[in-house]
Amino acid sequence: MLNLEHTINSGQVFLWERYGSKWYGIHGDDVLLVDQSNPEIVVSYSGEKYDLFRQSDNFNKVIREIAKDAIIKEATKRFAGMRLLRQDPFQCYISFIVSANSNIQNIRLSLYKLAKKFGKKVRFDGKEFFLFPDAKKISSASISGISSCGLGYRAKYVHAASEAVRSGAIDLELLKKSDYHTARDELCKIDGIGNKVADCIMLFSLEKTDAFPLDRWMLRALHNYYPGRFTVDNKSLTERRYHILHDELREYFGTYAGYCQQFLFKMIRDSNQKRW
């Protein structure tokens, strides 16, 4: 059964709140409601239908394919029901630019302030929400106005990234159809997007289930759980080393490498008893 706690609190998404058994999340210009008692049903403010939890991936098949070693088998059992989320691409794109060198609490607060300042206010299921502003709205704002949302130096990156989408320099829908390397290279042209942020955007919103975001937590997981198998050491993860390691991981874990990344990420964070 789909586990909302594991899924939403796994570093994928930020603008979600829990009230009892119900979870509410901002999904671009929409609000979604999911109840743990029946998590397969996603109710939206707009009435639109979304495959938020990627049921079209056939989760049971995915688990059979990725559970190729004892480590992943253990992770899938410990965090049974955790899924990848199919997010709104623009919101995901901006969210992970904001996430650079920050922590979950600050990311959530900054994104909430951004939505409150520039997004539309709506009422849904008796509660008030602010929708995520679109590229036109953010790009037309001043950098100081964006910075006031707690973004600091990231404000100029968020502004430029929004302008790139508004102008068509970045076409997120087209990148969904592109191959992994093309999408990565296009995203990395944007200031504020490096390899890790690009991989997060691709994995969580651009249909690249083979993307494998690498940060200090993942390097620790690979060092702890796969000693000697992958090219991991204490040296800094340069762009070249990132690409070499990423290619090794994609080759080993396959089409659904991104699912493996999420299970390993959740397991290493849980083992360190860090609070989201």
Side-chain angles (χ1 to χ4, degrees), residues 13-221:
V13 70
F14 305 103
L15 290 178
W16 282 75
E17 304 173 65
R18 182 176 182 176
Y19 295 89
S21 67
K22 294 181 178 181
W23 288 86
Y24 298 86
I26 305 304
H27 185 78
D29 60 354
D30 213 341
V31 186
L32 306 184
L33 163 62
V34 188
D35 195 312
Q36 183 63 62
S37 63
N38 193 2
E40 303 292 336
I41 304 298
V42 179
V43 179
S44 69
Y45 166 76
S46 69
E48 290 288 325
K49 295 183 183 293
Y50 300 95
D51 184 11
L52 180 67
F53 300 109
R54 303 189 65 96
Q55 283 98 326
S56 57
D57 281 354
N58 188 338
F59 190 62
N60 291 330
K61 178 184 177 184
V62 169
I63 293 300
R64 287 195 302 270
E65 288 194 19
I66 68 174
K68 59 175 61 183
D69 61 44
I71 299 299
I72 296 297
K73 286 179 182 177
E74 170 63 23
T76 58
K77 289 177 182 178
R78 187 183 302 183
F79 303 108
M82 186 173 72
R83 307 286 179 87
L84 283 181
L85 291 168
R86 179 178 272 122
Q87 299 180 41
D88 173 79
F90 180 71
Q91 181 176 329
C92 185
Y93 168 78
I94 296 299
S95 295
F96 280 96
I97 292 174
V98 171
S99 77
N101 301 312
S102 190
N103 59 54
I104 298 293
Q105 184 177 0
N106 287 339
I107 299 164
R108 286 175 171 165
L109 183 58
S110 293
L111 291 172
Y112 173 78
K113 288 180 177 179
L114 192 69
K116 185 175 182 180
K117 188 175 184 70
F118 300 109
K120 178 183 177 181
K121 181 170 69 174
V122 300
R123 289 194 65 81
F124 176 51
D125 201 37
K127 296 177 174 57
E128 181 179 276
F129 299 94
F130 294 91
L131 306 182
F132 201 78
D134 62 17
K136 182 178 180 181
K137 187 71 173 179
I138 297 178
S139 64
S140 64
S142 67
I143 293 178
S144 62
I146 297 170
S147 181
S148 70
C149 298
L151 272 67
Y153 72 89
R154 302 173 191 84
K156 62 182 179 182
Y157 297 145
V158 167
H159 185 274
S162 299
E163 174 58 25
V165 170
R166 188 205 63 77
S167 69
I170 288 288
D171 186 333
L172 295 169
E173 290 303 314
L174 181 61
L175 294 185
K176 284 184 182 181
K177 303 170 186 176
S178 303
D179 62 73
Y180 169 84
H181 289 98
T182 298
R184 182 194 66 196
D185 292 348
E186 287 300 307
L187 288 170
C188 286
K189 291 178 182 177
I190 303 300
D191 287 342
I193 298 183
N195 291 304
K196 184 256 184 173
V197 168
D199 274 328
C200 288
I201 296 167
M202 290 190 289
L203 178 60
F204 303 136
S205 69
L206 298 182
E207 306 299 323
K208 307 296 184 282
T209 58
D210 56 340
F212 199 106
L214 290 165
D215 61 8
R216 63 188 180 92
W217 288 105
M218 283 312 306
L219 294 179
R220 186 179 300 178

Side-chain angles (χ1 to χ4, degrees), residues 197-267:
V197 168
D199 274 328
C200 288
I201 296 167
M202 290 190 289
L203 178 60
F204 303 136
S205 69
L206 298 182
E207 306 299 323
K208 307 296 184 282
T209 58
D210 56 340
F212 199 106
L214 290 165
D215 61 8
R216 63 188 180 92
W217 288 105
M218 283 312 306
L219 294 179
R220 186 179 300 178
L222 295 173
H223 184 268
N224 289 355
Y225 304 141
Y226 294 93
R229 177 177 286 277
F230 301 111
T231 309
V232 182
D233 57 29
N234 293 325
K235 296 180 181 179
S236 61
L237 196 60
T238 63
E239 182 167 354
R240 180 175 178 274
R241 291 179 61 77
Y242 189 106
H243 293 168
I244 290 172
L245 177 55
H246 193 278
D247 287 346
E248 290 177 4
L249 292 162
R250 289 171 71 226
E251 181 177 359
Y252 178 73
F253 288 118
T255 303
Y256 296 113
Y259 275 93
C260 296
Q261 192 272 355
Q262 277 304 109
F263 280 108
L264 291 173
F265 182 79
K266 183 71 171 171
M267 189 159 67

